[in-house]
Each structure stands twice: as C-alpha cells, then as structure tokens.
Amino acid sequence: MTDTTHTPGADGGDALVTAFNAVGADYIFCSSGSEWAPVWESLARRHRDGLPCPQYLDLTHETVAVGMATGYGLIERRPQGVLLHAAPGLLQGSMAVHGALLAGVPMVVSSSESTTYGDGPGQDPGGQWYRNLSIVGGPHQIAQPFTKWSNEAASVHTLPTMVTRAAELAWRAPAGPAYLNVPLEILLEEWDGREAKPIVKPGSTHSSPEEVDPVAQLIREAKNPVVVTETAGREAGGFEALVAFAEAWNIPVVEPDSAVCGNFPRTHPLHAGSDIGPWMDEADLILLVNCRAPFYPPSRRPSKATVVVIDEVPQRPHIAYQVLFADRYLEGNVANTLRQLAKRAKDLDETAVAERIAAQEARFAAEQTAITQAETKAEGAAGIDPVLVAATLRKLLDGTNGIVVDETITHSRAVKRHVQTADPDSYFYVQGGLGQGIAVALGVKLAARERPVVLTIGDGAFTYNPVIQSYDASKAYELPLLIVVFNNRVYKSMNLNHRRFYPEGAAADTGEWLGTDLHRLPRLAAFAEPFGMHTETVDAPEALAPALERALKAVAEGTTAVVDVLVTR
C-alpha cells in the first residue's frame, strides 16, 4: 500500500463537511489529528470556491474543543460538530464530552481509526494507526458510557446520513453528545455526492389536558406548595415560563445548590433561596421542575408532601442512581407544561394564597437581610472575603446583560447568592469535572459576543484547565473574557473532606495536610502575560473594585483580563 497521492475531488472529507453543513452546524470545533486532512482539504476547496460550510476553529487541546462546543450549545441549543484525534484524543476530551452530557448540550463528536492498517488498497493511512492509535473494539466503544449514542460510520455512502442521525439523536431530549467513529479509509474513499437531508428542529411533546388538569387541582388545593428546580432555565423559554407560572400561582421557587444554570431571577420576591431543607417537613406539595436529583441523601423523603415531577425526560438514563419519590409525572416540553398550568391559575383560595405570600415575603426579606449582613461583614474584613468578590462583581455587572460561568467549588454558594443573576442564560455552572471552565466560557462568548462573559474559578480548578491552549483560542478568535480567580492557595474542598472524615486523625494532630497545598504555584495571572492580556493580582480589599473595573474595561476593548484575587478562605 504505497500510493500516497490523491486526486482532488469528492471524498469522505467532503461527505463529512457536507453533512455538518446540512445539520446546521455553525462551527466545527477541531483539535487536530492526522485523520482530518480530507476534511481540511474539503474546507479549503469550499473556501476557494465560495461554497457554504461551517466555520472551522483550529484548537490546540481536546478539552478546549469540546468545552467551547458546550459553551456555545448552552446558548444556541443546537448541535455543532467536534473533531478529535483517534482514541487518544477522544480519551483526552472525554471529561468534557461527559460534561456536555450532564449539561444537556447537543453535539456530534467524531474521531477515527484505521480499518486496513496499511494492508488494503488505496492510500496508506500511516503506520501510527497499526502501532499506537488503535484500540480493541474501536473508539465508539470507548465513547459509549459518556455519550447518548455511539456508533461507527462503516461506509462513505452512509456517512452523511449517519451524521444526520447522530445530530438528530443529540438534539432530542434529553439533549447531549452523540459520537461517530469515522475510519480514515472512509474519509479518503471516493464519494458519490449523495448528500444528507438538512435536519429540522425537533417537534415537541406535550402533556395532555387530562394530565394537566389534576395537577392544577393539586396546586389549587395546596396550602404550602413549593417549586424546586435545577435546570428549567436550560430549556428554550423555560426561564420565562417558570416566572409566569410562579407568579400566576404565587408559589416560591427554590434553586438548590445542585442547580446548574439560572432558572429564576434571584432578585425576584418569590425566589426562596437554595435550601430545600425547611420544605421537607413544611410543604404539602413539591413540584420538581427539571430536577434530576433533588433530595440528598436520596432516601431523604418529604414527610407529607405530594411530589409532582414536571420534566420532559424525568428518568435521565445517564444518572446511575436517581430517586424522585414521584406521585405524579407531567412529561413533555417543560415550558409548555408550565404555561398550561399558569393558564389554570383560577378559583384560588385567597386566604391560603395571602398566607403563603406573607410567609414568602418574610422569607425573602430575611434572606436579603442576611445577604446584606454578610456583605457588610465582608467589607469590614482584614483581607478579601469571597463574598466581597461576588458582591463587587454584582455591582459592576449591573445593567450590562452579563453572563457568569462558574467553576468554583467551595465558593460556588457565594457566587450564586451574591452575584444574583436575574436574566435568562445569565448563569451556568460547569459540569462533569474541573478543568473545562475557560473553554466553556469561551464557547459562551462565541455565542454571545455582544455580552460580557465572566468566568469565576478557584485556583485549584484553574490549574486543571488547559490554560495556555485556552488563551490561544481566546486571542486567535477574538473572544475576550473576564477571568476572576478565587485564590485561597489550597484545594479547600479536599482539605475539608479530610477534616470531616478524620477530625481527630493524624493530620489534625500533626498539621500534615497532604494533597491540598497550592502555595507553591506561581502568580496565576502571569500565564496570560505572553498573550498580551490584561493581568492583575489583588490582595487588598480597597484594590478589588478598581482592579475589576479596569479588567472589565479591557474586556470591553477586546482583551481577555485575568484578575487573581487572593481571598481569605
């Protein structure tokens, strides 16, 4: 197999590009691999000849490629294309692919293998596939546990339709990544030009009136109902529909710590904080709206509440253990279900409604007082308290239509509570494992170039990220971010667990806390300096607001800014 020339023309690379174009992918996010020459040649021809194709992003790390596709999909909610390299590239990007599955983001991820290892006719795929890159069972077997669907394209003639199928499966509920193994020999094979049919937006399923009416009656009869939601805001129109529903029935809304996006305005009087605990014994009706795992431990059952689950796919296949205690399900498009229930908010018990409005007003006022007190205390602290960082960001972002992407752990509650996002698609929590935050934020920025995007991140999470490759993407594709590092110089969550499990152990006795110390790291902001980015390190409370103001100004002018804030805890 010594033929190394290839006459330009239609081949599997063209088939793949044509298919991504047909499914409506705006971008192909690629971390380069030796199998993608046919795709690059197809793109070059299309650029030369003025033919349509998705925009190609040349990225230098698999986590960056998948993470950017995830961030873009959080805003646009449509499948994009992701190209990784063979089985090793898929493994390198697997955490981010799993994160996309948890985040409910549709995408079609592809990588390759060899089927001939140089012993077949046609072009030589290269000895690296025989010696190093192949894996028993193929890369599609690797991808199966962390994708919605995983398969191999075994023929160039079925490749476009396989991409269509993958995209359609990825887009439908529960949305998530699909994987397609496209062997290099298929990419190099001559293609007859049979194109994929463009896909259309999925149809929606709705709960019937016969199902909705009894739930409306349950709400009407309830004295102390509550909504608990984790991902209602992830659905198109879900944020607005939940606000309309809550206002129509005057029902408080809890966003537990497990909420992964903004679902309800945190400034709204019906927002009931993040603690579901008080409701476990008090509520007589709990409405779980897009809430995958509300109770912890899972056996912690509400004492008297009827539980109604409102979710298009309540039993999520990717969750290993899921306990909902549901008494009734309303399945189908969540925004539509909420709108249907809002229309039925009639003939209410005015006394019961007045009582719960009064109770929620008191609850909301107490929470606002607690927030103010925490911020006042933070302002008077000797060093920079994390609450001060979050509160300062809130003030600076007010009126900017900003988006916060959060990859903190021990500071995530402070970020949610004190930044107080109030608009749709204004808050996202990175899913699936630390080390993706910068890439996800870049993808969000790619989809919302006109909005300021802020990444809040801990120093431990920051060091897990492919920082250099992320900065390269930011600069190459003009995607300026504000990156705020909550730097406490320790893997705090790990240290807390050690102390919790062994409060009187040897480490507590000697002070030898292993696996947690980050004091030896250099200045984290300095990694951005070779890219000409704006960098600041802040260690005094009075310097915080001016530093963040300068950073936001730099972002507005088109430069990523990194502010490393040395916090006290």
Side-chain angles (χ1 to χ4, degrees):
M1 191 168 189
T2 58
D3 179 13
T4 58
T5 62
H6 187 53
T7 303
D11 59 15
D14 291 290
L16 190 60
V17 172
T18 298
F20 278 131
N21 203 55
V23 302
D26 302 315
Y27 291 93
I28 294 175
F29 300 84
C30 181
S31 177
S32 296
S34 55
E35 64 264 54
W36 299 124
V39 169
W40 298 332
E41 180 63 20
S42 174
L43 290 169
R45 282 199 299 271
R46 288 167 181 270
H47 296 158
R48 180 196 65 192
D49 299 339
L51 299 175
C53 58
Q55 186 171 338
Y56 175 86
L57 298 185
D58 215 348
L59 305 165
T60 53
H61 196 281
E62 290 84 356
T63 299
V64 177
V66 182
M68 286 186 65
T70 298
Y72 189 83
L74 286 170
I75 299 293
E76 295 294 340
R77 300 178 174 89
R78 293 181 288 103
Q80 305 299 312
V82 178
L83 304 182
L84 306 178
H85 175 43
L90 175 62
L91 287 169
Q92 181 78 0
S94 60
M95 179 185 68
V97 178
H98 181 240
L101 180 70
L102 298 182
V105 172
M107 62 180 68
V108 178
V109 181
S110 288
S111 69
S112 196
E113 64 176 337
S114 175
T115 55
T116 66
Y117 307 105
D119 278 341
Q123 296 214 83
D124 183 2
Q128 73 273 21
W129 296 95
Y130 177 54
R131 298 184 180 95
N132 302 320
L133 295 181
S134 294
I135 192 164
V136 174
H140 49 292
Q141 295 292 334
I142 297 174
Q144 188 173 4
F146 51 83
T147 57
K148 276 191 67 179
W149 179 82
S150 178
N151 211 336
E152 176 186 8
S155 166
V156 71
H157 305 297
T158 60
L159 174 58
T161 306
M162 289 287 277
V163 173
T164 297
R165 175 163 167 73
E168 289 180 334
L169 284 165
W171 204 355
R172 277 152 180 80
Y179 173 79
L180 192 60
N181 168 22
V182 187
L184 177 54
E185 287 84 351
I186 300 299
L187 290 168
L188 291 168
E189 188 175 345
E190 184 177 343
W191 174 50
D192 61 11
R194 282 183 287 181
E195 298 187 1
K197 181 183 181 296
I199 64 171
V200 296
K201 185 177 180 180
S204 60
T205 58
H206 296 166
S207 293
S208 69
E210 291 77 14
E211 295 169 311
V212 174
D213 286 338
V215 172
Q217 188 60 30
L218 286 174
I219 302 173
R220 193 173 291 112
E221 295 170 354
K223 302 297 183 184
N224 196 18
V226 65
V227 169
V228 183
T229 182
E230 292 176 321
T231 62
R234 188 175 64 192
E235 311 301 326
F239 189 101
E240 298 88 342
L242 182 56
V243 172
F245 167 80
E247 290 177 344
W249 291 94
N250 286 292
I251 299 179
V253 176
V254 173
E255 286 185 287
D257 290 331
S258 53
V260 302
C261 61
N263 304 288
F264 196 82
R266 287 193 166 259
T267 55
H268 197 290
L270 286 172
H271 197 287
S274 60
D275 186 7
I276 193 176
W279 300 93
M280 298 297 287
D281 293 323
E282 297 175 7
D284 57 355
L285 178 64
I286 296 178
L287 301 159
L288 300 179
V289 180
N290 262 36
C291 204
R292 59 203 162 141
F295 312 121
Y296 191 83
S299 58
R300 186 188 183 199
R301 185 175 191 135
S303 61
K304 62 182 180 182
T306 298
V307 177
V308 176
V309 173
I310 301 174
D311 200 321
E312 189 162 7
V313 185
Q315 299 296 337
R316 287 169 169 76
H318 64 263
I319 296 180
Y321 184 56
Q322 186 184 22
V323 182
L324 297 174
F325 296 121
D327 296 297
R328 190 180 292 269
Y329 287 103
L330 282 182
E331 299 182 37
N333 181 270
V334 168
N336 179 271
T337 300
L338 292 172
R339 286 191 290 265
Q340 293 303 313
L341 286 169
K343 292 177 181 178
R344 289 162 168 78
K346 302 172 182 177
D347 304 322
L348 307 185
D349 184 334
E350 295 182 3
T351 300
V353 170
E355 288 177 355
R356 71 170 172 260
I357 288 175
Q360 174 56 24
E361 287 176 347
R363 193 181 297 113
F364 184 77
E367 171 65 3
Q368 298 309 302
T369 299
I371 288 173
T372 300
Q373 290 174 344
E375 293 180 2
T376 300
K377 181 180 178 181
E379 289 171 1
I384 303 177
D385 190 282
V387 167
L388 180 63
V389 184
T392 303
L393 280 173
R394 181 188 71 240
K395 295 169 186 174
L396 293 175
L397 290 174
D398 184 39
T400 66
N401 196 27
I403 304 173
V404 175
V405 177
D406 187 22
E407 197 177 29
T408 62
I409 298 294
T410 54
H411 301 127
S412 61
R413 292 181 182 178
V415 170
K416 290 178 182 177
R417 192 184 193 202
H418 295 278
V419 174
Q420 293 188 321
T421 54
D423 300 311
D425 292 338
S426 60
Y427 173 85
F428 300 102
Y429 191 80
V430 177
Q431 295 292 289
L434 297 177
Q436 309 170 62
I438 306 177
V440 172
L442 287 170
V444 169
K445 183 66 177 179
L446 183 66
R449 288 183 178 269
E450 74 288 354
R451 300 174 66 181
V453 177
V454 179
L455 172 67
T456 53
I457 188 170
D459 52 325
F462 182 89
T463 59
Y464 283 138
N465 274 257
V467 174
I468 301 304
Q469 298 92 332
S470 298
Y471 288 167
D472 171 66
S474 173
K475 191 172 182 67
Y477 296 107
E478 299 180 338
L479 300 170
L481 306 174
L482 170 56
I483 301 173
V484 180
V485 183
F486 286 65
N487 189 346
N488 57 10
R489 283 79 72 201
V490 65
Y491 283 122
K492 191 69 173 181
S493 62
M494 302 178 196
N495 183 257
L496 289 173
N497 272 341
H498 192 160
R499 293 174 184 271
R500 179 165 63 93
F501 295 147
Y502 302 98
E504 299 177 0
D509 183 48
T510 65
E512 185 182 13
W513 301 106
L514 300 175
T516 64
D517 185 17
L518 295 176
H519 280 87
R520 67 179 183 268
L521 293 177
R523 290 191 306 114
L524 299 184
F527 291 98
E529 290 173 359
F531 293 90
M533 295 172 175
H534 180 94
T535 65
E536 304 212 24
T537 300
V538 185
D539 60 2
E542 63 274 12
L544 178 63
L548 291 174
E549 286 178 5
R550 289 190 294 269
L552 277 170
K553 183 174 183 294
V555 171
E557 293 172 351
T559 302
T560 284
V562 184
V563 182
D564 184 15
V565 185
L566 307 185
V567 294
T568 55
R569 58 185 175 91

